[in-house]
Amino acid sequence: MSTNKALAPVAHLAHLADMAVFARVVEAGSFSGAARVLGTTPSAVSKQVARLEGLLRVRLLERTTRKLRLTEAGHAAHGHCQALEAAARDVMQLADQHTHVPQGLVRMSAPKAYGRQRIHPLVAPFLAAHPQVDVQLVVTDRVVDLFAEDVDLAIRITDTPPPGLAGRPLEAVEHIVCASPAYLARRGTPQHPSELTEHDCIYLGEDPSDRRWRFTQRGQAESVTVAVRGRYVVNHSEMRREGAIAGLGIASLPGFAAQGALERGELVRVLQAWQHDTAYSGTAWLLYPPNRFLPSRLRAWVDYLASAIPQG
């Protein structure tokens, strides 16, 4: 056996910290970014990465004046270093596993509309039931990287949840079109999606494609795309709902945003024989890193959401 092979078990233990620092550099995209997260200096971070490269006798990062780029060996090493970090977190969470009372911070991200209308109302009763747990809710419509951004849980509305994450389906999210009874009495009720061109429609407006509403007839093969127009365009589902109640037009809304107004008779659903296809339709999935030792604070929050959100 060579000297290098004999020393390998000892060497890798001595460089565990360097491996963790390398993972942070990759996630932050720079030595300075990793240094801010770790509370140290860019030069100290650079030395630790260089020491790891010296141990492995390969270059892990290509350094330019503007950014860092992983080499082929760097990609392979990064995956193993991420697994190392995950294992370390599991070890640190063992105490929490055996704590009967959930405690600590739960960081969760959710799409803006879903977070505001579905998750936010559930926070107060959860905190009252779990006085030693804190919740940080990050509402954003971008895809959050749970590992890189230190987020415990994320809600994504999709029919294809990403691989590599554990998850629980919460509810089906359907997009619907609806209007106030007064508007429909004044302008008529469309019987086919093509008739929407004769109406004022309230739509998202963040992208040119937002005014192209797609429909598929339920139980049939027919699909229709309609270019809608209207006098009010707003990228907030609650505002679109209020605009529809005020009689400004036919609104495109996630079902959970329209539910209360429909039940109160403030809005009426139209084109029920058609499925309104949008990027915001699918299943609301609660996603988290696969971990058979899920901390009690996260387990309590996951179980609470699954029981509190009605299945539909």
Side-chain angles (χ1 to χ4, degrees):
M1 180 179 291
S2 69
T3 303
N4 286 339
K5 289 182 179 179
L7 292 175
V10 176
H12 86 266
L13 291 175
H15 288 270
L16 289 177
D18 298 339
M19 296 175 193
V21 168
F22 169 65
R24 284 294 170 185
V25 169
V26 175
E27 290 160 9
S30 67
F31 292 122
S32 57
R36 283 193 296 271
V37 173
L38 297 168
T40 184
T41 64
S43 61
V45 169
S46 179
K47 287 178 182 177
Q48 285 185 270
V49 173
R51 189 162 57 213
L52 181 60
E53 289 179 322
L55 173 73
L56 301 177
R57 292 181 295 180
V58 294
R59 183 170 291 278
L60 301 174
L61 295 167
E62 295 290 352
R63 301 159 176 81
T64 69
T65 56
R66 301 184 65 179
K67 62 179 182 179
L68 299 175
R69 184 177 65 84
L70 280 170
T71 63
E72 183 177 351
H75 277 289
H78 180 234
H80 293 299
C81 291
Q82 277 189 314
L84 170 68
E85 276 201 305
R89 283 195 297 268
D90 288 346
V91 172
M92 297 303 295
Q93 291 169 355
L94 284 176
D96 191 28
Q97 301 302 317
H98 298 284
T99 300
H100 296 297
V101 179
Q103 56 186 295
L105 174 65
V106 174
R107 297 191 72 231
M108 176 180 180
S109 75
K112 291 178 182 177
Y114 197 87
R116 168 65 185 89
Q117 297 175 58
R118 267 299 196 249
I119 304 303
H120 171 68
L122 301 177
V123 172
F126 174 81
L127 294 180
H130 300 280
Q132 296 188 46
V133 179
D134 302 328
V135 173
Q136 180 179 355
L137 181 59
V138 179
V139 290
T140 176
D141 289 330
R142 69 179 178 82
V143 175
V144 171
D145 186 324
L146 274 67
F147 297 99
E149 301 180 55
D150 288 329
V151 173
D152 298 307
L153 308 154
I155 287 181
R156 295 182 196 168
I157 297 175
T158 177
D159 286 325
T160 55
L165 293 175
R168 292 179 67 168
L170 294 178
E171 63 177 325
V173 176
E174 184 179 11
H175 233 72
I176 67 173
V177 289
C178 51
S180 70
Y183 174 89
L184 296 175
R186 185 174 73 252
R187 298 287 298 274
T189 301
Q191 303 300 314
H192 190 275
S194 61
E195 296 176 25
L196 291 172
T197 58
E198 302 169 11
H199 288 266
D200 288 322
C201 294
I202 308 172
Y203 57 93
L204 185 67
E206 291 184 335
D207 184 270
S209 64
D210 289 335
R211 63 183 295 267
R212 297 182 63 81
W213 289 2
R214 299 182 302 277
F215 295 87
T216 303
Q217 191 170 20
R218 300 182 191 279
Q220 305 292 328
E222 182 182 0
S223 62
V224 179
T225 299
V226 183
V228 301
R229 55 167 297 280
R231 300 180 62 196
Y232 187 38
V233 180
V234 57
N235 65 340
H236 194 288
S237 61
E238 288 184 278
M239 294 182 184
R240 292 199 302 279
R241 180 187 65 206
E242 298 307 313
I245 292 173
L248 299 182
I250 298 176
S252 171
L253 295 170
F256 60 79
Q259 181 180 351
L262 292 171
E263 292 172 350
R264 293 188 296 270
E266 296 170 329
L267 293 176
V268 176
R269 185 170 179 176
V270 300
L271 299 174
Q272 293 194 54
W274 296 80
Q275 178 177 310
H276 185 23
D277 302 316
T278 76
Y280 210 79
S281 302
T283 299
W285 282 87
L286 180 58
L287 303 171
Y288 43 91
N291 185 346
R292 58 197 179 102
F293 300 115
L294 199 65
S296 58
R297 68 184 187 282
L298 301 186
R299 175 59 61 192
W301 181 235
V302 168
D303 291 344
Y304 175 76
L305 291 181
S307 63
I309 293 177
Q311 299 294 311

